[in-house]
Amino acid sequence: MASQWALRDKALRPSKALTLDVKYARPICRHLHHGEQRKADPNVAPVRLDLQAIDRKWQKRWQHAAQSVQQREGSPKAYVLSMFPYPSGNLHIGHLRVYTIADVLARYKRMQGYDVLSPMGWDAFGLPAENAALERGVDPETWTKSNVERMKSQIIAMNGGFDWDREFMTCDPSFYKHTQHIFLLLHERGLAYQAESLVNFDPIDKTVLANEQVDANGFSWRSGAKVEKLKLKQWFLRVTDFKEALLNDLDRLGFEHGWPERVLAMQRNWVGKSEGATLRFPLSKEEDFAELDHVKVFTTRPDTLVGVQYLALSLSHPVVSSSAATCPELQRFLDQASTLPEDSKAGYQLPDIYAQNPLSVLDGSPECVYEPLPVYAAPYVLEEYGEGAVMGVPGHDVRDNDFWKQHQSASAIREVIRPTDISTSSEDGNAQVVFTKPGVLTEICGNLAELTSQEASKKIISLLSAVGDLAEPTENWKLRDWLISRQRYWGTPIPIVHCNDCGVVPVSAEDLPVELPKLAGNWFLKKGGNPLESTEDWVNTACPSCGGPAKRDTDTMDTFVDSSWYFMRFIDPHNALQPFSPDKADAILPVDIYVGGIEHAILHLLYARFMSKFLATTPLWPSGGGKENNAEPFSRLITQGMVHGKTYSDPLNGRFLKPEEVDISDPSLPKMFATGETPVVSWEKMSKSKYNGVDPTKCIDTYGADVMRAHLLFQAPVGQVLEWEEERIVGIQRWFSKIWRIVEDLSPQDPSCAVPALPFPSILTDVEKQLYLILQNTIASVSHSLSTTFALNTVISDLIKLANALAASPTASQAVRHNATSALLCMLAPVAPAFTEECWERLHLHFPLPNTDKGASIFMQPFPTATTGDGSIQPNTQTCVVQENGKLRFAITVPKAPEEVLGKGNETELREWVVAEIGKSKDGERWLHQKNKDGKIWSRVVVVKGGKTVNFVG
């Protein structure tokens, strides 16, 4: 709330920055003057707080008024978006948390005067829907739409103020028509292409997975199946064409927009730019490998070349494939390798093939580099990174060290780099600690000895590049093109036709969308596979180019293609001709605040950034949001932490216990009913298998939506894990009840009452001044948290303190309390919309604010703004903290020390004055009396900051 006491030449005038524009008119009827208190009417019973009834009332009123989507012409825009949900069937607490955060920030922006876009839609395609349909024998569209209906009702029940007029589902042809259009734009530019590739195949879901969808142990992120490697012809998007921008623009997102450092690190690592060298290792069997007389190896550590003791090749490397053609045992190893874990140290030494260290061609090289190097086929070597080959340096790479010990345990490990600080070097080659950092080359390196790693790398590259191109400086990237093909039904069809005469032919834009065919009901009783391949009427079509017989592409797109641009569709969701209007893109994009889980830090965010940068090269968004935006889709990113539930497990076998197996009548001492033993208590990610999930609908029905929202925000900072403890929700209930009592005490019961007029600053009491200052500090802190730090737990704690201050100021005039309460409700409104609407209506029912309708929504009020620097409003009291030997005993309110006892030379007078004031208070009188009774004698009394702290020492 802006200052209601703006002074000019000692005269009172309303400030232009007023948040609650209270006019200082002459009181009318039975107006309460300063110092008067409205006494409760004994004949009127207090209204009981019924949060569930309040939810129902205001949800109905909001739906009727469609208030949340009103546009404010000429106002600055704000686009606040939460990652749209997959319609799995029911919301969980994690959903509730992310949508509450987004809704709070959108409502705050709206009250600041922004024209806010806060839409909601559904990421409706994907394997889970198809698998659920197969399990139930129903059409995935039917299953998906029923889930959408149920989840939408839950979001409305949580008092979400989303723009439902912009709602869409990605499985709707009116949406995926435009996804197909974007695919054709990519194809036209050569950025969508088909290639044969070794792919990750999920044998349960029977579809291809991108690398990002396979975990570190080689299992599918969806089905949990062990992923197999197959060679198939697949569709890719050429993400690598944008690799420089995807990497370089992360710096700006971190520096200017405060993206979480964890997300930036994950993106940088996935793009994975490495600077090093490509080295050529000659093979010893040139007669059998005439065209493969060298193996290329990319390395970031040329300085370790003297320490190379073997080469390891990927399982699909040409040298391995050629050897397997004449070696059945090697072929058997390759066939079985797909069952090995990702971090396996298994390997197969290629028979009769050795490599030569490229340093061996240089005069003066150390003797060890002339030794032949064994060559292995090793699953740990990635085909897609570098050249699909690794130079094994057991002395300075942990993974190479483990591999060497498994296959050459009798051979010594060569150490060629030592730390700059020699005292940290390991003493023998088989030491447990492998030195992996840059350092100084050891004596074993001959004429390279004593060079630093950096100096040695440059010299080695220079020497080898001068003799037969055995080395060249190289940049390498981990990032690979995006594999989007899925061999399943429930996804966006790829708009491509295959013609025997014309080859691959794109469907014309006029013929979009290519819709999914309706399948016979009995198909959904089958298990897996791609029904599009056998749907003859759909597959067989005419070639768009020659008109001859052709077949449609039967792959569908990865659902991440839909989510890579959906936020753009929200700005123009009813446009039938284009994905979105370029004018609207320039007016609204990028998204100002994007809220979602850290689990999407790589896949979704990387693909969305790629798609935005591509679309900025098309007529759809040529500005890319301006020079400073660099076609980035999201300005601010908030990654909320997960919600963990209290989990009980059997201490003997680790089995997770069901709620009915645990006696929690005393929550601090849970017992297992069966044995009486104390279970192991932990906080785990909520899941059905751990019996620790919470039904948010049941919680809303029990406590009310706004209590749930406030509790979720208060329990943990936004970015941290929230440990759900339902018993703590009672604290929020009590707080709401306190605010309700404050409002009830101030609510007018006489329609003839006028707006309470604020008093002149000069006649404010100390209590009123103190309340005013607390209010201003709260407004400043809450505004900072909502706009800058997003510390929403701090917002709740600040508002709790303000409510406590209001409740503790019964002697303040009704006008001052009414003013502070109005500001409190406005600040709480984004968090608890229905509760504050009800409170606001009761507070202002009979005297609406100027220029507003009777009972106008609280969201039509501007958000309070703090007044700073008003030195005329300072309390004449201060808090005095009383300590005994440095330990806190109590805190009281005392007058400010008079001028005559302050200043140098008045220490004794100040001390006597402060002790006397402490003795006047009840706490101080009681404490001093007890100390005197005990015969306590103080050696000295230390007074700090004019009496704000007093320490009795002795």
Side-chain angles (χ1 to χ4, degrees), residues 80 105 130 154 218 281 350 545-546 770 780 806 812 875 879 940:
V80 181
L105 297 176
E130 187 168 339
Q154 289 181 293
F281 285 75
L350 304 187
S545 179
C546 70
Q770 187 67 33
L806 266 163
T879 299
R940 58 196 175 102

Side-chain angles (χ1 to χ4, degrees), residues 180-188 192-194 233-237 484-485 492-499 502-509 511-515 532 538-545 550-557:
Q180 292 172 340
H181 176 70
I182 291 171
F183 176 90
L184 293 180
L185 291 175
L186 288 157
H187 186 266
E188 183 182 352
Y193 66 95
Q194 208 173 16
K233 203 165 190 180
Q234 303 288 296
W235 283 99
F236 294 84
L237 299 185
I484 65 164
S485 288
T492 299
I494 293 177
I496 292 292
V497 167
H498 298 273
C499 174
C502 305
V504 174
V505 183
V507 174
S508 64
D511 292 332
L512 298 179
V514 175
E515 293 193 35
L532 296 180
W538 184 84
V539 171
N540 295 313
T541 187
C543 174
S545 179
K551 291 185 180 293
R552 295 191 187 280
D553 197 304
T554 58
D555 284 354
T556 54
M557 296 187 208

Side-chain angles (χ1 to χ4, degrees), residues 748-759:
Q749 297 173 1
D750 186 345
S752 64
C753 285
V755 178
L758 287 165

